[in-house]
Amino acid sequence: MSLGSFADASQGLSKEIEQLEGLFTVETQKLKQITDHFVNELEKGLSVKGGSIPMNPTWVMSYPTGYETGTFLALDMGGTNLRVCQITLTDQKSEFDIIQSKYRMPEELKTGQADELWEYIADCLMQFIETHHGDVSKMDKLPLGFTFSYPATQNYIDEGVLQRWTKGFDIAGVEGENVVPMFEAALAAKGVPIKLTALINDTTGTLIASAYTDTKMKIGCIFGTGCNAAYMEDCGSIPKLAHLDVPPDTPMAINCEWGAFDNEHLVLPRTQYDATIDNESPRPGQQAFEKMIAGLYLGELFRLVMVDLHDNHSAHIFSGQDISKLRRPYTLDSSFLSAIEEDPFENLSETRDLFHTKLGIEANPAELELVRRTAELIGTRAARLSACGVAAICKKKGYTSCHVGADGSVFNKYPHFKARGAQALREILDWPEKTDPKEEDPIEILAAEDGSGVGAALIAALTLKRVKEGNMHGILHPENFR
């Protein structure tokens, strides 16, 4: 390529970059508009009529004090692993000991028979207990907190009706059913000395585990493959629970399931690429917010932009090359974008190598600039939109200063995600600029404690404690708590 034609190409691509900046940049005013709408939608979800955001009551009815004691099991049923933990809450405030084992979740079980799944889980639990306790015949039953991170309806803390499978599971006869009796039948058949005390969602666990070690924690969030948040509401502000006559100042943890925010497409700044992701997803019209900010979709957004610039724009990036690998949906995940954003070299040599090895594409310097800027725009938009949800809960609850516990691969690993989110919170909530860069923000989003392990055990402890005190709200089987 002659110098002149390279300059023309660069100029053509800088126009494309400008257009992408217009599409993906979310200005302060827009962030504020989204946040205000988000507050209304959170309230709508708590109403009798309901709304797009489910706002599920979890029957977790207090924060931990840090003085909880006892030994509890926690089971976390993820898409790839089954994790079993034994957590001992010690006499020292906010301290715990943990032993844990991971068991692979066999792929064939994820699409097999329901009883095979529950039998496998019972076997893993039995193996764990025998390893750490020896002879099970003389044991008292251990209380268990079960982290079941699939959309479930919970009218009680010790039940969960699966709404739909996610994470690659597709087992017939479970959707629309309460999973607890299936699980308990498998335990009973194998004589596993366990009593299920609480079924929890990982986001609620994140909130409770984080609040156990840090009393300023008011919100738990997940920014990973999916996205979600949980916080404590007063029962008096939950019209859909009014019929239960719970004292209005009683706390109730709410699992927001906020990925469904703005399914009506009223405020989120969607691009044609977001519309394509939605239309080609298994459930079009659902999880509008999640599809713009979650790790599962960031790489796909990037891929769609690249294919569009190759096919439909005068710039024709990667022209004359075979882009068949780039045409495969979901071939790039958020770690691909992370690698591009982390490339420390001015000539973006790591990005060039990444395109060569993963996609068989040779990108020239101008194309590499475009690639880097696209990744930055998509990553920044995700972080800034995420902040709208956090700001909305804080505005709804009147929190002017608190900590937010966040977990998930995007929060923990995606470059600059934390800083970009913090900057967006500053803009939405009109904080003055810092005088000292080391100074804490009024609302800080920090790395959370282990929600699906320690959080599940703590919720089991809190549930046993409140039952002892006579609070039987949301308990289906009181006989299991005696």
Side-chain angles (χ1 to χ4, degrees):
M1 190 185 262
S2 72
L3 209 55
S5 59
F6 178 69
D8 293 345
S10 291
Q11 200 168 2
L13 289 191
S14 43
K15 282 205 181 72
E16 296 292 357
I17 289 173
E18 266 175 47
Q19 278 186 313
L20 289 169
E21 284 172 344
L23 282 176
F24 283 96
T25 303
V26 191
E27 302 291 356
T28 307
Q29 222 26 59
K30 185 66 178 168
L31 291 174
K32 289 181 171 181
Q33 183 204 359
I34 293 166
T35 302
D36 289 342
H37 186 59
F38 217 130
V39 174
N40 293 336
E41 289 298 301
L42 293 172
E43 291 187 345
K44 202 186 283 181
L46 294 171
S47 70
V48 176
K49 191 175 168 208
S52 283
I53 306 179
M55 301 297 280
N56 297 328
T58 63
W59 307 100
V60 176
M61 301 179 75
S62 65
Y63 283 114
T65 60
Y67 293 104
E68 291 75 14
T69 56
T71 297
F72 303 87
L73 293 183
L75 167 66
D76 180 13
M77 180 181 145
T80 41
N81 288 312
L82 201 62
R83 183 166 68 120
V84 182
C85 314
Q86 178 174 297
I87 289 119
T88 306
L89 305 173
T90 66
D91 294 339
Q92 298 295 307
K93 183 178 189 294
S94 300
E95 288 199 7
F96 58 88
D97 297 323
I98 181 167
I99 45 179
Q100 57 185 325
S101 297
K102 273 190 178 164
Y103 304 89
R104 196 178 64 82
M105 179 63 79
E107 279 301 316
E108 62 275 14
L109 281 186
K110 294 168 74 171
T111 52
Q113 300 294 314
D115 51 1
E116 290 170 353
L117 172 72
W118 303 116
E119 273 174 31
Y120 177 72
I121 294 172
D123 282 335
C124 293
L125 285 164
M126 189 63 135
Q127 194 184 325
F128 181 87
I129 293 173
E130 285 177 341
T131 304
H132 298 294
H133 292 272
D135 183 3
V136 299
S137 61
K138 300 178 179 64
M139 275 181 64
D140 285 339
K141 285 190 174 181
L142 288 164
L144 173 87
F146 182 0
T147 302
F148 186 74
S149 298
Y150 304 85
T153 308
Q154 274 196 287
N155 296 312
Y156 305 93
I157 198 160
D158 48 347
E159 73 144 25
V161 175
L162 177 68
Q163 292 163 353
R164 61 177 186 278
W165 282 117
T166 55
K167 303 181 195 178
F169 279 89
D170 191 12
I171 300 171
V174 186
E175 291 185 337
E177 299 293 332
N178 180 4
V179 298
V180 173
M182 304 181 196
F183 174 63
E184 289 185 327
L187 295 180
K190 298 205 180 274
V192 188
I194 280 175
K195 56 182 178 190
L196 182 122
T197 305
L199 191 80
I200 73 149
N201 177 281
D202 57 348
T203 316
T204 314
T206 297
L207 167 67
I208 297 299
S210 302
Y212 179 68
T213 54
D214 175 359
T215 52
K216 287 183 77 175
M217 284 286 176
K218 299 292 181 201
I219 301 169
C221 292
I222 306 282
F223 300 115
T225 312
C227 67
N228 197 8
Y231 75 102
M232 280 288 180
E233 191 50 271
D234 303 313
C235 285
S237 303
I238 311 175
K240 64 185 176 185
L241 294 185
H243 63 286
L244 297 176
D245 291 333
V246 183
D249 57 352
T250 309
M252 173 74 78
I254 297 291
N255 164 25
C256 300
E257 295 290 354
W258 74 9
F261 168 64
D262 201 32
N263 282 347
E264 305 79 12
H265 309 315
L266 296 175
V267 291
L268 288 173
R270 293 168 89 227
T271 64
Q272 73 198 65
Y273 309 109
D274 297 297
T276 301
I277 281 191
D278 186 38
N279 293 336
E280 294 179 2
S281 71
R283 292 187 169 81
Q286 291 184 20
Q287 302 298 94
F289 186 52
E290 182 161 279
K291 285 170 180 164
M292 294 177 81
I293 70 169
L296 181 60
Y297 305 102
L298 300 181
E300 181 66 358
L301 272 170
F302 174 86
R303 187 191 72 78
L304 289 168
V305 171
M306 293 296 125
V307 171
D308 183 45
L309 292 180
H310 173 277
D311 290 355
N312 305 320
H313 290 238
S314 54
H316 291 304
I317 59 170
F318 318 134
S319 69
Q321 298 194 55
D322 173 9
I323 68 156
S324 54
K325 284 186 176 167
L326 186 63
R327 289 195 189 280
R328 274 187 224 142
Y330 291 92
T331 200
L332 307 177
D333 61 13
S334 56
S335 66
F336 187 85
L337 265 64
S338 296
I340 295 169
E341 286 221 49
E342 278 176 325
D343 187 342
F345 299 107
E346 203 170 324
N347 67 354
L348 300 174
S349 56
E350 286 186 1
T351 306
R352 188 184 64 226
D353 295 346
L354 190 65
F355 264 71
H356 172 73
T357 52
K358 178 106 178 156
L359 299 166
I361 289 171
E362 304 301 329
N364 66 40
E367 289 165 347
L368 289 170
E369 282 297 331
L370 170 97
V371 159
R372 167 74 155 227
R373 192 69 191 108
T374 305
E376 286 172 354
L377 287 167
I378 290 169
T380 301
R381 185 186 75 164
R384 286 172 70 80
L385 291 177
S386 297
C388 295
V390 174
I393 292 177
C394 291
K395 283 183 99 162
K396 181 183 184 323
K397 293 296 294 172
Y399 297 144
T400 51
S401 159
C402 70
H403 288 167
V404 176
D407 204 351
S409 51
V410 173
F411 179 79
N412 290 321
K413 294 181 184 156
Y414 197 92
H416 320 301
F417 187 87
K418 299 179 178 104
R420 289 162 175 170
Q423 175 56 37
L425 273 182
R426 173 170 300 282
E427 292 171 35
I428 297 164
L429 299 170
D430 295 316
W431 297 333
E433 283 305 317
K434 285 184 182 180
T435 43
D436 172 7
K438 290 199 185 75
E439 188 189 331
E440 228 191 46
D441 284 337
I443 293 162
E444 286 268 346
I445 305 180
L446 306 167
E449 291 295 332
D450 163 24
S452 58
V454 179
L458 280 163
I459 289 170
L462 292 171
T463 306
L464 286 171
K465 184 175 155 199
R466 76 171 172 89
V467 167
K468 269 201 185 105
E469 290 165 357
N471 177 350
M472 305 304 282
H473 289 292
I475 307 286
L476 182 60
H477 291 293
E479 66 277 9
N480 284 354
F481 292 84
R482 298 210 167 90

